[in-house]
Amino acid sequence: MVLLRFLMLLFALIVSDLHSLPWFINVSEREGPGTILQSFSFNCSSHMPTLELVNVQPPTTFFNPPSLTRWQGIYVGKVTLSSSARLDALAVNHYELQLRYTCGNLVMEGPLFVDVQRASGHVQCVGQFVSPGGEIIQVPETVKPGAQLYTLLLPGLEVQGTQINIISAQDPPYFPGPFSISEQGCLQAPSQGLKGHAQKIFRLQISVFFGQGQSCQGMLMVKVLPVPSSQVSFLQKTQSITIPEDKVPGSKVVQVQARGFDLRYEIFSPMPSPLYSIGSADGVVRTTVPLELAHARGAAVTKLQVKAFERLRPWASAELDLTVNVLSVNRWPPHCIPALLVTQIPETSPVGTVLNTLTCTDPDSTGATLDYQLWLHSPPDLASLCLRDRVLEVNATLDCDTPGACFQHAASILVLDHGQPQMTTEVPVLVMVTPVNEFTPACAPHTFWVREDAGPHTLLGTVLGTDMDYPRNSIEYYTTGGPSIFAVDHLSGEIHLLGTLDYEQQRLYRLIVLLIDHGQDWDPTYHRSGSCTITIEVEDVNDHPPECEPPFQELTIYTTLGHSVEVTKVSCWIPQEPQRLTFSYSIMGENSKNQFRMQEAILVHNYSLLEPPWPEQSCTYELLIHVADAGPFIPHLSTTATIIVHLVPWRASTVATSTQRTTVPSVMTSLLVTNTETFWHPEPWFVVVLTATGALLLLALGWLVSKLLQR
């Protein structure tokens, strides 16, 4: 026992703390005065702490006020049994001690629950039975022969093999006959009865032997009382009372009252009573143990037989049948697993997909039926979830391809029991809907037109891609296998021109635009792609002037008065656009008398337009022929051809006589002489380059001379 107490104290110093209240401890009914029930330690450095026993239920003097000692800077408190402690599990098997701890301004309270355990095979003589004066029982002289007068209540009597004997002498004539006692401790009246032995006291020495050297002795004194002169009675023979199951041990159930003088009350059936006790003097029936129906079997309905009798004449008595009904009290809400339901599903989950199964139990009633209700919070107008019994399922299509459609569903599952009052547990539900990239981006084929003189970075048009996944039209644009002079903006889809175009070289381009979506699936690496063909047509622009061959001609012609002479034909064309054959021709320079004119591409000299006097000498004309393209194309580009014409007039011979003058025209044949001179006519760009190069050489030479002069 000393070793056990030392271990309990050591354990308390290591792990005990007042914050661990409440405690539940078990103690054997064998334990006697001074037994340490609970030890604990705590720190209180700046004040003198106190530890008090505030209350004990049911009331008893079995427990000492807690002791408090200081050991190595730590305060150690102990709760022990008092010198009057006689634990009896049959009488009271549960005590509740309310402790209060004070350290300065810190005040804490907590309960200490003590359960008294039966000690198998333990014989303990307690109460007045083992006192020097013994225990006195009073019986009327009218008791029936062999009637049960008293039951000896000692722990251990229920063990088989217990022997109980009356060892004192019961010789007549003082004794009308021997009293007998059974192995269960029931004392019976003599077979002759007690009639005529009023006012006598019979002393019975009783020995209880359990075996293995365990025994005890006590004294019973049976006092015979005369026939009572008054009657004891209850107002009603039966009574029924209903109480809730949450009453703590020691709570009042009902107070019974009988008519009579100096009455006492006892419960004689069942004997002993495991759940209830009655006040001997006041008749108040109280609970002795917790009445939780889930743990205390048979506590729902208890039938008690209560006896009221006079203190001095116990044979003057009356009986009452008391029925105590215990109602279940709903104290605990349903307990659910999981307590928080969070799940994630793709938006393509079909209707009927099981999200989770809720498992709930009622702590107040094992196996009780529970009700489940689903409350949707967001979105409030879509019943996308449903609850079938305890199973949460998808109730509607979880399409998230419209702005603000879903992505998150918040709800609550209410679990209700059927107790009084009704208790409810709310299980929050959060369903995260992950997007799925379902649709392929697409764009319609389109044709854009662009002038061939468009410069770099010209915007040709925009590719309009569509994607039904959310967020809508989240597309990037790329070109694949197309001409490098076009580029597409990755984000906007705008097509820009990077180089120059030439209608005469290529009039039609086909561009393959690749569309790739992004940010539309829970997996950021998953993409879908589509494509479309963009046609780019180049619009023709008049950008090449005509060229003449040869660009310079020098001709000598002979003219006849009154006749028109075809000088030459100007041959022009556009090498890059040979299909253009329509040009306009006009004469510029040294044609003041309009003796030259153009008939389409032919230069004609008209001698008939000249007025006398006619030229007699040869003359030279330098004509500039302006050749411009014609047609609907704008602008009109032109070139100039140079024709030098040496004009030689021709005269007829005149024969004069004295009688008449006849002019005989002689027939002459016109001779057209064509002289072709070769000359150097460089391109304009070559002249510019040559001029710039010469200027740079002169600048370099000047810089070199200046450096030499400085040296």
Side-chain angles (χ1 to χ4, degrees):
M1 181 62 70
V2 175
L3 180 59
L4 177 61
R5 293 183 180 180
F6 175 77
L7 291 176
M8 291 177 63
L9 177 60
L10 182 60
F11 177 79
L13 289 174
I14 295 176
V15 303
S16 180
D17 192 298
L18 197 63
H19 297 284
S20 64
L21 290 174
W23 293 294
F24 294 87
I25 63 172
N26 296 324
V27 60
S28 174
E29 63 182 356
R30 291 177 182 267
E31 302 295 339
T35 299
I36 299 175
L37 300 180
Q38 182 70 21
S39 299
F40 44 85
S41 62
F42 52 89
N43 293 323
C44 185
S45 58
S46 59
H47 299 85
M48 179 63 69
T50 60
L51 187 62
E52 306 173 74
L53 180 60
V54 180
N55 187 27
V56 179
Q57 289 293 336
T60 183
T61 60
F62 288 176
F63 304 98
N64 288 323
S67 63
L68 193 62
T69 58
R70 185 180 179 88
W71 183 74
Q72 294 185 357
I74 300 176
Y75 288 94
V76 180
K78 302 178 185 177
V79 178
T80 59
L81 293 177
S82 67
S83 58
S84 63
R86 298 292 186 271
L87 299 179
D88 186 357
L90 295 178
V92 178
N93 61 6
H94 182 84
Y95 295 95
E96 180 179 345
L97 285 66
Q98 190 72 18
L99 301 177
R100 178 186 297 159
Y101 160 67
T102 304
C103 177
N105 294 328
L106 176 63
V107 178
M108 298 183 62
E109 288 192 9
L112 173 62
F113 298 104
V114 180
D115 290 329
V116 181
Q117 306 292 323
R118 290 295 307 275
S120 177
H122 175 60
V123 178
Q124 182 179 5
C125 296
V126 295
Q128 294 295 324
F129 175 71
V130 295
S131 64
E135 187 169 0
I136 299 177
I137 60 175
Q138 297 177 348
V139 297
E141 63 177 342
T142 57
V143 69
K144 295 180 181 180
Q148 181 176 326
L149 305 179
Y150 173 79
T151 300
L152 182 62
L153 298 178
L154 295 178
L157 292 182
E158 72 280 359
V159 180
Q160 294 182 358
T162 303
Q163 298 179 5
I164 304 177
N165 299 308
I166 301 176
I167 60 176
S168 60
Q170 301 185 65
D171 300 331
Y174 186 76
F175 279 84
F179 291 85
S180 62
I181 189 168
S182 67
E183 293 181 355
Q184 288 76 33
C186 297
L187 182 66
Q188 296 176 335
S191 58
Q192 294 83 359
L194 297 176
K195 194 68 173 176
H197 294 274
Q199 304 299 333
K200 287 185 178 181
I201 298 178
F202 300 98
R203 298 179 180 273
L204 303 175
Q205 188 75 26
I206 299 176
S207 173
V208 181
F209 179 76
F210 179 72
Q212 299 179 357
Q214 298 186 51
S215 64
C216 67
Q217 294 183 0
M219 179 69 71
L220 284 179
M221 292 184 293
V222 181
K223 182 177 181 180
V224 182
L225 300 178
V227 178
S229 57
S230 62
Q231 295 292 327
V232 178
S233 64
F234 285 97
L235 297 179
Q236 51 187 356
K237 293 296 184 180
T238 61
Q239 187 175 355
S240 180
I241 189 72
T242 301
I243 61 173
E245 68 170 338
D246 59 350
K247 284 186 173 294
V248 298
S251 299
K252 178 180 177 180
V253 177
V254 69
Q255 183 176 16
V256 298
Q257 290 183 338
R259 290 180 298 185
F261 176 73
D262 195 11
L263 299 179
R264 295 292 183 266
Y265 301 89
E266 68 176 11
I267 298 174
F268 69 93
S269 178
M271 179 65 73
S273 176
L275 303 178
Y276 304 97
S277 65
I278 190 170
S280 176
D282 56 9
V284 176
V285 179
R286 299 180 182 274
T287 61
T288 58
V289 295
L291 300 178
E292 296 182 2
L293 298 180
H295 304 94
R297 295 183 178 180
V301 179
T302 303
K303 295 184 179 296
L304 303 175
Q305 288 183 320
V306 180
K307 178 189 289 186
F309 58 90
E310 292 185 4
R311 184 176 65 86
L312 299 178
R313 296 181 297 176
W315 60 86
S317 62
E319 297 178 1
L320 169 68
D321 292 332
L322 177 63
T323 302
V324 181
N325 301 293
V326 179
L327 289 181
S328 176
V329 176
N330 204 19
R331 292 179 293 172
W332 306 102
H335 176 69
C336 297
I337 298 176
L340 173 64
L341 199 158
V342 179
T343 187
Q344 177 177 297
I345 58 173
E347 65 171 319
T348 54
S349 299
V351 175
T353 300
V354 176
L355 302 180
N356 209 319
T357 300
L358 201 62
T359 302
C360 298
T361 57
D362 189 355
D364 296 301
S365 178
T366 304
T369 303
L370 303 174
D371 292 335
Y372 300 84
Q373 298 178 5
L374 178 64
W375 284 9
L376 295 173
H377 301 319
S378 63
D381 55 342
L382 295 176
S384 299
L385 308 176
C386 68
L387 189 67
R388 303 184 188 278
D389 192 12
R390 300 178 294 110
V391 181
L392 185 64
E393 298 179 354
V394 175
N395 188 50
T397 302
L398 300 176
D399 185 23
C400 297
D401 293 324
T402 56
C406 56
F407 289 127
Q408 178 173 301
H409 293 267
S412 294
I413 298 178
L414 297 182
V415 186
L416 302 91
D417 58 17
H418 295 277
Q420 294 295 330
Q422 190 176 53
M423 303 293 285
T424 302
T425 295
E426 181 178 355
V427 179
V429 176
L430 184 62
V431 179
M432 308 293 293
V433 181
T434 58
V436 176
N437 195 358
E438 303 175 78
F439 302 99
T440 299
C443 61
H446 199 80
T447 301
F448 298 110
W449 290 267
V450 59
R451 290 167 55 91
E452 69 171 323
D453 60 350
H457 308 294
T458 299
L459 175 62
L460 306 183
T462 302
V463 180
L464 298 178
T466 59
D467 192 344
M468 298 302 295
D469 290 302
Y470 182 82
R472 291 292 179 84
N473 305 330
S474 181
I475 302 172
E476 292 183 356
Y477 301 85
Y478 299 90
T479 57
T480 172
S484 60
I485 62 173
F486 301 102
V488 61
D489 188 278
H490 294 334
L491 299 180
S492 65
E494 295 179 347
I495 298 178
H496 294 270
L497 177 65
L498 299 183
T500 58
L501 300 173
D502 191 344
Y503 174 84
E504 288 70 32
Q505 292 185 5
Q506 187 170 352
R507 304 179 184 182
L508 186 68
Y509 296 89
R510 297 191 185 277
L511 191 65
I512 305 299
V513 178
L514 180 65
L515 289 75
I516 301 177
D517 58 15
H518 61 87
Q520 297 168 318
D521 194 275
W522 68 274
D523 182 4
T525 63
Y526 180 69
H527 306 281
R528 284 179 177 265
S529 61
S531 64
C532 61
T533 302
I534 301 300
T535 303
I536 300 174
E537 293 189 6
V538 181
E539 295 180 340
D540 189 16
V541 175
N542 193 14
D543 55 351
H544 296 287
E547 297 180 7
C548 297
E549 183 63 32
F552 177 83
Q553 299 182 53
E554 185 173 3
L555 306 171
T556 300
I557 62 172
Y558 295 89
T559 63
T560 303
L561 184 62
H563 293 275
S564 296
V565 179
E566 181 179 312
V567 179
T568 185
K569 182 177 181 180
V570 180
S571 179
C572 299
W573 72 91
I574 300 176
Q576 295 83 358
E577 302 178 55
Q579 73 278 8
R580 294 192 187 182
L581 300 176
T582 303
F583 302 99
S584 63
Y585 303 88
S586 60
I587 301 174
M588 301 171 59
E590 296 193 15
N591 191 28
S592 58
K593 296 182 179 181
N594 296 324
Q595 54 184 316
F596 293 93
R597 60 185 175 86
M598 296 295 300
Q599 291 182 353
E600 294 184 354
I602 300 175
L603 177 64
V604 177
H605 178 262
N606 192 356
Y607 198 74
S608 62
L609 297 178
L610 294 177
E611 297 178 357
W614 292 284
E616 296 180 356
Q617 300 295 330
S618 299
C619 57
T620 300
Y621 296 90
E622 183 176 350
L623 302 177
L624 298 179
I625 309 301
H626 181 264
V627 182
D629 54 10
F633 303 100
I634 297 176
H636 293 289
L637 302 181
S638 63
T639 189
T640 302
T642 303
I643 300 177
I644 298 176
V645 181
H646 300 284
L647 191 61
V648 179
W650 178 84
R651 297 182 180 275
S653 299
T654 304
V655 180
T657 65
S658 59
T659 56
Q660 60 180 28
R661 178 180 295 173
T662 303
T663 302
V664 181
S666 67
V667 179
M668 298 182 68
T669 302
S670 299
L671 178 63
L672 178 64
V673 180
T674 302
N675 292 327
T676 302
E677 294 183 4
T678 303
F679 67 97
W680 181 56
H681 182 66
E683 295 290 339
W685 64 267
F686 182 78
V687 176
V688 173
V689 171
L690 185 62
T691 304
T693 303
L696 291 175
L697 289 175
L698 290 176
L699 289 175
L701 183 61
W703 176 79
L704 182 60
V705 171
S706 64
K707 289 296 182 179
L708 292 175
L709 293 176
Q710 289 177 1
R711 290 183 180 179

